[in-house]
Amino acid sequence: MNFCFPSFHVPLTSITVVDFILRLINAVKYHLYTAILFTWTDYKTVFFPITVFACATAPARSCSSLLWCCVWVWFHQLMCNVSNQVCGRKEDKINHPWRPFPSGRVSESQALVIRWATVACCISLSSMYEPELIHTTLGLVIVTLAHDELGGGNNVVGKSLCSAAAYVCFEFGATTIIGVMDFVSVTAVIISGILAFTAVHAQDFPDVEGDKTTGRMTFPIYAPELSRFFTLFVTIAWSVFLSWFWEVGPISTTLFASFGIYVGLRYYFWRTSEADRRSYLTFNVWLMAAHVLPLHARTSVLAF
Ligand SMILES: *[C@@H]1O[C@H](CO)[C@@H](O)[C@H](O)[C@H]1NC(C)=O
């Protein structure tokens, strides 16, 4: 027996190992892709703006703190997005059918497991970096609970409040990881929270059709005309205020304010859902610029 099996046995084992590794790689690829699908819409609204904000507000101490910041923001965005999408499956069937839940990539029974697994992931991540950060994570968990499970996101004011609170948590966490929370950082975070409160509805314009079908009340649905006008007002007012507050130079002010006016006018005059999708993209570029202004308080780079 011993005599004839070895030659047969050895290749069999190595095939099993190779096969196992290939399956493992495929599984990792599959789940990574799922995670990217969950977070896809919000790289422009969360991941990049928050990271850029943190770097501009509390210039990075080291490459490793920047890396930590990116990982931390990404996992927390994933947590918020999973929670949001577990509760928003109906709207997503219409607005975003390719997302993991509506497309059937992730089943109903897996949804809750993933929802709480991402929470556990974020808590461990924060505790690994600095136990204090756990408070920020818990803050975000509470905000997502209020927004999604408790239905705070279903009315106009609740949604804006939750989003603003979420931004504050994200920025607080990211800035703490990157550098220090001194007067400039704290001021920048507070201002950005108020800005988020007044402007988050910009994201609801492209989704009006889907939200109407599911009965989700957003500012653009509640007040179609006023919400357009308000967006115009808000982008202009914030452009002027932020340039003044951070004391950037005349050319920077002109550039930033013109861009804000352009974004506001786009929203006001171009009202198809395709135009709204593009307006939202330009809005995010403007928002990113708004988040870079605190850099001036550190380095005077925008004095021209
Ligand atoms: C993703 O998470 C961010 C941060 O809380 C939130 O603003 C955004 O609406 C979420 N998007 C989706 C599609 O879940």
Side-chain angles (χ1 to χ4, degrees):
M1 283 298 266
N2 254 352
F3 188 73
C4 60
F5 268 105
S7 66
F8 187 69
H9 218 85
V10 172
L12 192 71
T13 335
S14 62
I15 286 173
T16 323
V17 171
V18 170
D19 189 50
F20 174 76
I21 293 176
L22 282 179
R23 273 165 195 245
L24 193 68
I25 292 178
N26 275 336
V28 169
K29 268 188 355 204
Y30 185 85
H31 295 306
L32 204 63
Y33 187 61
T34 309
I36 289 174
L37 288 177
F38 272 123
T39 48
W40 187 246
T41 337
D42 289 285
Y43 285 97
K44 63 179 183 298
T45 53
V46 179
F47 184 78
F48 291 116
I50 301 287
T51 316
V52 166
F53 171 87
C55 292
T57 306
R61 282 182 298 196
S62 61
C63 283
S64 74
S65 69
L66 178 59
L67 194 67
W68 259 101
C69 170
C70 291
V71 171
W72 189 90
V73 172
W74 189 82
F75 270 100
H76 284 73
Q77 185 190 323
L78 179 68
M79 172 189 83
C80 294
N81 288 162
V82 167
S83 151
N84 196 284
Q85 290 167 41
V86 167
C87 296
R89 272 167 292 193
K90 271 192 288 160
E91 290 98 270
D92 276 350
K93 272 227 147 58
I94 299 147
N95 286 339
H96 310 278
W98 48 267
R99 281 185 178 159
F101 294 130
S103 71
R105 195 178 171 88
V106 175
S107 71
E108 296 273 323
S109 55
Q110 289 167 327
L112 268 180
V113 177
I114 298 187
R115 199 271 182 247
W116 294 103
T118 53
V119 171
C121 247
C122 288
I123 293 178
S124 344
L125 197 63
S126 286
S127 67
M128 265 154 61
Y129 188 79
E130 192 186 290
E132 289 278 290
L133 260 185
I134 294 180
H135 300 147
T136 316
T137 302
L138 291 180
L140 260 179
V141 172
I142 292 171
V143 173
T144 54
L145 266 175
H147 183 276
D148 302 323
E149 275 87 356
L150 304 179
N154 296 337
N155 67 74
V156 177
V157 176
K159 184 171 186 231
S160 301
L161 262 182
C162 289
S163 303
Y167 270 96
V168 168
C169 292
F170 266 108
E171 287 169 354
F172 193 85
T175 315
T176 314
I177 294 175
I178 288 260
V180 280
M181 286 310 288
D182 59 1
F183 182 72
V184 171
S185 309
V186 172
T187 316
V189 169
I190 292 172
I191 289 183
S192 142
I194 305 173
L195 169 56
F197 178 70
T198 59
V200 277
H201 65 273
Q203 82 183 85
D204 294 325
F205 288 100
D207 294 341
V208 162
E209 287 316 310
D211 289 339
K212 263 187 189 159
T213 337
T214 56
R216 190 157 154 272
M217 186 48 79
T218 61
F219 191 23
I221 295 176
Y222 180 74
E225 184 65 33
L226 180 69
S227 59
R228 299 266 170 193
F229 180 76
F230 187 71
T231 311
L232 175 63
F233 171 76
V234 154
T235 47
I236 297 176
W238 277 110
S239 300
V240 173
F241 172 78
L242 289 172
S243 305
W244 168 79
F245 185 85
W246 295 111
E247 300 178 330
V248 299
I251 296 181
S252 308
T253 301
T254 313
L255 286 176
F256 181 57
S258 317
F259 193 40
I261 295 170
Y262 168 69
V263 172
L265 290 175
R266 279 195 65 105
Y267 268 106
Y268 192 76
F269 287 110
W270 295 344
R271 300 185 176 191
T272 64
S273 72
E274 188 44 40
D276 280 334
R277 223 170 289 285
R278 284 169 184 241
S279 297
Y280 185 46
L281 219 59
T282 52
F283 171 84
N284 279 295
V285 178
W286 173 81
L287 194 63
M288 189 98 89
H291 280 158
V292 174
L293 297 185
L295 182 62
H296 182 67
R298 306 272 184 207
T299 60
S300 301
V301 277
L302 300 170
F304 58 86

